[in-house]
Amino acid sequence: MEQIIIFLILLGVGYFLGNRREQKHYEDIKRREKSTLHVPLMSWGAKQELPYAHDAEMFVGSVVVANDYFKTVSASLRNLVGGRVTVYETLLDRGRREAMLRMKESAMEWGASQVINVRFETSNIGGQGQAAGAVEIMAYGTGIR
Amino acid sequence: MKYTPREITSEVNITPVHPLVNFGYLVGTVMATGIAIYVGLGVAATQIALRMGPAMEAKVGDAVFNSLFAEANLLEQDRRLDYLRPLAESLRSDALLERPKLKLHILDETIPNAMVIPGGHIFVTTGLLEDLETENELAFILSHELGHYENRDALRGLGRSLVLLSLNGLLGLSGVQLPSVLTGSLSLADLRYSRDQERRADIYAIEITHQRYGHLGHALGFFERLSAEDLDLEALARIMEWQSTHPLTQSRIEDLEALAEERDWALEGKATPIPGGLGRP
């Protein structure tokens, strides 16, 4: 019985806090995306000619987002039936957009007119078995001015 | 190429479903499947229990015997078995002759008890043998267990583990063994029967006892002594133990006496003594 109560508490904390943070984060992401919209991000092919620039520098934005208990339980149930893990879709989406924003904001601070050759890297941290893990998402690109 | 900033308004990477709806769907699906499997196993177990052939039953019985009594203190060389075996054989009904052969075991245990598991394994404790005063009592108790055996109560008592046990039996023929985790952990607590099952076993018992002795005198003696015992702590513990696997109520004795009167069977008669006594091996 005690274990069930602990489980429900963890699930409730995971759901209410996790969901609240997620909503706050999305509001923040959307606001920042809007304010940085005027600088283009591009992902060129390897052998394409680059735009002319005086200066070029690499910028890296990286973020680590933690999973919450509610998402872990939802995902492990999803593992039984298969299909889209919708709870992780938002987690990764948030991570990617946040990493990209951090990269873009630091490039804009430097004075970039555009960021080219944008790439993503993702790696997971910890999370053995049932323990909730975290994901690191890194975005990097070449800022030019 | 001219760059025109455009705000992204649609979320292509996110499935628009509320996390709680998603969670509810998942919990619902998994639980519904679980319940369906549980009910299905229950239905399958009952059907298997009713239809199982003697060869298969013997196999399942051996598996249960090995998992329950492998560590138990069984007296397999006891000379009392020479007396108990023919007595039990003589108490079989015609239907029981078709079933796996009876295998009698004496359990070294001071608490008086008797039980039957599938495959015709019948157990009596040394405590029970020491408490018995007449053969009629012994015959009644043995045939009560045989009644459970005839009605396949022990098989049904295995419940859902029976499905896996019989699967194991089938696979065993081809040399494959299911892991013991799957065949389940059995315990003596599984040998609990419903009131109705007990009643039917009792009816079997008085029919067979009457057939053998021509009367029911002394047959219920053991129960009467148990229920009349002074309720000191030790006696209470013994009664509780007996009740955990058998209902022992005054009303049960009364029911049986009423049934005997209805059939016009004598409730009094000469006691058949136990040759040599069973108290000492």
Side-chain angles (χ1 to χ4, degrees), chain A:
Chain A
M1 194 62 211
E2 270 170 47
Q3 281 178 327
I4 296 174
I5 293 171
I6 291 171
F7 173 75
L8 288 179
I9 289 173
L10 286 174
L11 207 62
V13 168
Y15 175 69
F16 287 110
L17 293 186
N19 218 30
R20 207 181 127 77
R21 274 168 186 277
E22 189 158 284
Q23 274 169 11
K24 288 258 177 215
H25 192 198
Y26 264 124
E27 280 168 24
D28 184 52
I29 285 172
K30 281 177 183 159
R31 186 182 51 76
R32 282 154 69 204
E33 276 180 348
K34 215 170 176 173
S35 65
T36 57
L37 205 59
H38 59 277
V39 174
L41 294 172
M42 273 164 285
S43 162
W44 294 98
K47 288 182 179 172
Q48 269 166 314
E49 208 175 307
L50 298 179
Y52 176 79
H54 292 286
D55 273 328
E57 194 169 318
M58 184 159 103
F59 293 93
V60 178
S62 134
V63 64
V64 180
V65 207
N67 193 4
D68 63 54
Y69 196 72
F70 179 79
K71 286 193 198 308
T72 311
V73 173
S74 292
S76 58
L77 284 175
R78 179 56 84 184
N79 261 340
L80 297 175
V81 293
R84 282 190 183 190
V85 191
T86 55
V87 285
Y88 283 166
E89 283 180 353
T90 51
L91 188 78
L92 285 168
D93 184 59
R94 273 162 63 200
R96 261 183 263 113
R97 286 161 83 167
E98 177 69 36
M100 190 134 88
L101 277 168
R102 288 185 184 180
M103 186 263 293
K104 195 174 178 182
E105 277 162 357
S106 67
M108 281 167 71
E109 218 167 89
W110 174 75
S113 57
Q114 46 186 294
V115 184
I116 56 177
N117 282 351
V118 177
R119 303 284 187 266
F120 280 111
E121 298 288 341
T122 311
S123 53
N124 59 340
I125 295 173
Q128 286 186 341
Q130 281 292 306
V135 64
E136 191 227 15
I137 296 156
M138 188 176 87
Y140 58 93
T142 311
I144 52 174
R145 62 180 179 190

Side-chain angles (χ1 to χ4, degrees), chain B residues 83-93 96 102-104 122 142-143 146 204 208 212:
Chain B
Y83 163 69
L84 287 170
R85 275 197 189 109
L87 177 65
E89 300 282 335
S90 74
L91 297 170
R92 281 184 300 174
S93 67
L96 273 185
L102 299 183
K103 291 151 210 103
L104 264 112
I122 294 173
L142 281 178
S143 48
L146 287 175
Y204 176 96
I208 293 286
R212 182 179 162 93

Side-chain angles (χ1 to χ4, degrees), chain B:
Chain B
M1 192 175 74
K2 195 180 174 300
Y3 172 67
T4 326
R6 256 195 311 267
E7 203 185 335
I8 304 159
T9 48
S10 65
E11 302 280 359
V12 286
N13 291 326
I14 301 167
T15 313
V17 56
H18 193 274
L20 277 187
V21 173
N22 173 52
F23 188 71
Y25 164 80
L26 289 171
V27 170
T29 327
V30 171
M31 271 183 41
T33 318
I35 290 169
I37 291 171
Y38 188 76
V39 170
L41 275 180
V43 171
T46 314
Q47 291 304 316
I48 291 173
L50 292 178
R51 285 151 212 264
M52 183 173 276
M56 193 63 174
E57 189 184 346
K59 209 173 256 299
V60 168
D62 288 341
V64 175
F65 177 73
N66 287 333
S67 94
L68 273 182
F69 292 99
E71 313 273 287
N73 217 347
L74 293 179
L75 308 174
E76 295 293 5
Q77 301 298 325
D78 202 289
R79 69 165 180 81
R80 287 175 286 190
L81 283 170
D82 300 336
Y83 163 69
L84 287 170
R85 275 197 189 109
L87 177 65
E89 300 282 335
S90 74
L91 297 170
R92 281 184 300 174
S93 67
D94 293 341
L96 273 185
L97 296 175
E98 314 278 307
R99 302 279 292 281
K101 277 172 73 177
L102 299 183
K103 291 151 210 103
L104 264 112
H105 308 276
I106 296 178
L107 206 57
D108 195 6
E109 167 69 63
T110 49
I111 296 160
N113 207 347
M115 63 207 105
V116 63
I117 64 166
H121 293 274
I122 294 173
F123 300 86
V124 288
T125 62
T126 47
L128 176 75
L129 295 177
E130 280 158 24
D131 274 12
L132 292 172
E133 285 176 5
T134 64
E135 191 185 274
N136 308 58
E137 291 168 9
L138 177 60
F140 182 85
I141 289 168
L142 281 178
S143 48
H144 173 88
E145 298 305 329
L146 287 175
H148 280 312
Y149 183 40
E150 188 194 85
N151 299 330
R152 294 170 181 257
D153 292 341
L155 274 175
R156 268 183 270 187
L158 288 177
R160 294 172 174 85
S161 26
L162 179 61
V163 177
L164 285 168
L165 277 171
S166 31
L167 200 64
N168 202 29
L170 279 179
L171 289 173
L173 298 175
S174 60
V176 183
Q177 281 280 315
L178 285 179
S180 56
V181 181
L182 274 182
T183 50
S185 55
L186 300 161
S187 75
L188 281 178
D190 294 330
L191 296 173
R192 205 170 290 213
Y193 305 123
S194 74
R195 197 172 266 268
D196 193 49
Q197 287 175 323
E198 290 293 348
R199 192 169 158 70
R200 289 204 294 154
D202 272 349
I203 291 171
Y204 176 96
I206 58 168
E207 277 170 358
I208 293 286
T209 320
H210 182 262
Q211 197 179 313
R212 182 179 162 93
Y213 299 103
H215 64 84
L216 292 172
H218 303 277
L220 301 175
F222 175 72
F223 301 105
E224 279 159 4
R225 273 202 310 286
L226 257 192
S227 65
E229 242 175 69
D230 288 335
L231 287 180
D232 61 31
L233 271 180
E234 199 197 341
L236 194 66
R238 276 145 52 107
I239 289 172
M240 297 285 277
E241 182 63 31
W242 180 270
Q243 271 193 312
S244 69
T245 41
H246 296 87
L248 173 76
T249 50
Q250 193 56 39
S251 74
R252 180 178 169 200
I253 299 174
E254 281 162 14
D255 277 358
L256 285 175
E257 285 175 352
L259 187 75
E261 260 169 51
E262 200 179 290
R263 300 195 181 177
D264 215 10
W265 289 346
L267 279 168
E268 301 296 325
K270 213 164 125 309
T272 309
I274 294 171
L278 288 170
R280 293 152 305 277

